[in-house]
Amino acid sequence: MPLPRARLAVPLVTALLGLGAGPLSGEPSPTPPSAVLPRLVSEGHAPAAAMLSASPTASRFQAAGPGIRRADRFRAGSITKTFVATVVLQLTTEGRLHLDDPVGRHLPGLLPHEAGRRVTLRALLTHTSGLPDYADVSSRLSPTARTTAREAVRRALARTPGPVGRYAYSNTNYVLLGLVIEQVTGRTYAAEASRRIISPLRLGGTSFPGARTALPPPHGRAYDAAGRDVTALDPRTADAAGELISTLDDLNRFYAALLSGRLLPAPQLRQLLDTRPANGPYGMGIYPHRLPCGTTVWGHNGHIKGSYVRTATTGDGRRTVTFRVNTDAVPDSALDSLEPALLAAEFCRADGATEGAP
């Protein structure tokens, strides 16, 4: 059964965002990825779709629909969470954080006393904190309000939390992790992710926009369900839960490096991929998807105003795929069938290779 995709609705004057949340299920596709991708346009009614497959020996870019290119920058939504989780786990390797630290130790007074004592960094990373999702608060704000994620989180934390230890996707968790990173390092989570991940991997198309509303060039256009151009938007509502801007190549490179052990030592990589705290559906900023052929791939999706993106990679990081559409309006019913069909077509091929030449 597909997990629900968390959506973050905020006033249109800032943005209307939906941050992706969970793995999807589906049947194997007997056709190659090049035959499945155009269905995101024909059946999903996306203006355009693009996909980049990569392995150590080959890569292939495919596109359907006009105005979408391999080099385009786009908003990557909740894929931000994998970057944030990686930074947190790097800080644990340095002894500056511990996964069982209570949140109140690093952010005193922000959570209600009992929650600050019981909710740990591990619970934030695995979405088992029980903390209310600030998306629910943002969706009820005045259409003229200009509210940042941190302001909305404070409103959300005034609500009664759920039980600690039960998986419930909440964007609040990752905004708090961003604050923890800032408190421990003295630098923003964006600065730390840039220093620790973006610069070492040379992810030249990846950035955290902060208050910048424009996408950096080159980029195409992004559209909402009504066909309106939403390329420019205020990303501050997404914050550490989903503000990332990236490219197809950069996301493939990041996930390949992460799963191959370039960014985390083996003990921390095992913690990243440990789904037991969430009882199966989620690790730490990353989730598994088991394909019909028996292969399990790891990655995340991102659902933000004007964009849907999904990256998946094999457990050794050797084969990776990212696909995207330039709208947030593809129906869940279409994604529930087409996304797993794309992943199965890519990773369940008998020859184990990507289509095409480098």
Side-chain angles (χ1 to χ4, degrees):
M1 177 181 296
L3 295 179
R5 296 181 186 86
R7 296 178 183 274
L8 173 55
V10 300
L12 195 59
V13 74
T14 53
L16 183 62
L17 309 174
L19 303 180
L24 304 168
S25 62
E27 297 300 320
S29 171
T31 55
S34 57
V36 181
L37 186 71
R39 295 171 58 194
L40 286 166
V41 177
S42 62
E43 299 174 29
H45 307 293
M51 178 175 176
L52 182 65
S53 308
S55 73
T57 58
S59 67
R60 180 176 176 83
F61 172 72
Q62 304 166 58
I68 196 165
R69 299 162 296 183
R70 177 171 177 165
D72 282 346
R73 274 73 165 169
F74 52 84
R75 302 188 193 277
S78 281
I79 285 177
T80 309
K81 292 179 173 69
T82 317
F83 284 73
V84 171
T86 302
V87 172
V88 171
L89 286 168
Q90 287 180 346
L91 289 169
T92 70
T93 70
E94 299 163 11
R96 302 170 73 180
L97 290 174
H98 298 88
L99 293 180
D100 292 322
D101 287 348
V103 175
R105 178 178 301 172
H106 300 288
L107 303 174
L110 183 59
L111 301 186
H113 175 71
E114 182 66 14
R117 183 179 64 82
R118 295 184 63 218
V119 174
T120 64
L121 300 186
R122 187 189 306 274
L124 296 182
L125 286 161
T126 59
H127 292 297
T128 56
S129 69
L131 296 177
D133 193 340
Y134 77 92
D136 296 336
V137 172
S138 299
S139 65
R140 292 174 173 83
L141 296 178
S142 162
T144 60
R146 290 182 179 270
T147 302
T148 67
R150 298 181 187 196
E151 293 166 344
V153 160
R154 287 181 172 87
R155 290 186 173 97
L157 294 177
R159 300 168 59 192
T160 302
V164 177
R166 180 183 300 171
Y167 175 79
Y169 191 92
S170 175
N171 293 290
T172 298
N173 294 320
Y174 276 74
V175 175
L176 294 179
L177 287 167
L179 294 174
V180 169
I181 292 170
E182 185 172 344
Q183 191 277 331
V184 169
T185 66
R187 290 179 288 270
T188 65
Y189 73 88
E192 282 297 299
S194 296
R195 183 174 73 87
R196 293 168 176 269
I197 301 172
I198 294 174
S199 294
L201 295 182
R202 299 181 180 179
L203 306 181
T206 299
S207 62
F208 297 91
R212 187 177 67 244
T213 60
L215 282 172
H219 65 79
R221 314 307 300 175
Y223 303 95
D224 67 8
R228 293 172 296 206
D229 190 315
V230 292
T231 308
L233 58 79
D234 187 337
R236 288 175 296 176
T237 310
D239 200 73
E243 72 162 312
L244 187 75
I245 291 171
S246 195
T247 68
L248 297 172
D249 278 282
D250 279 6
L251 292 182
N252 279 357
R253 188 176 302 120
F254 165 63
Y255 279 96
L258 179 62
L259 270 294
S260 66
R262 290 180 57 192
L263 295 174
L264 293 173
Q268 281 69 36
L269 184 57
R270 286 194 295 270
Q271 289 174 323
L272 181 89
L273 304 179
D274 186 358
T275 63
R276 289 174 296 179
N279 294 311
Y282 205 85
M284 295 182 176
I286 197 168
Y287 61 79
H289 176 76
R290 185 172 175 84
L291 299 169
C293 58
T295 297
T296 295
V297 292
W298 294 85
H300 214 290
N301 62 0
H303 206 162
I304 191 168
K305 191 69 174 177
S307 178
Y308 181 79
V309 57
R310 173 72 157 101
T311 300
T313 187
T314 52
D316 58 6
R318 291 180 60 81
R319 296 183 58 218
T320 307
V321 64
T322 299
F323 77 84
R324 60 173 288 244
V325 293
N326 58 349
T327 182
D328 58 312
V330 176
D332 286 351
S333 59
L335 284 175
D336 286 348
S337 61
L338 295 177
E339 179 171 319
L342 269 173
L343 297 182
E346 176 61 33
F347 291 104
C348 292
R349 296 185 64 202
D351 60 5
T354 57
E355 293 183 280

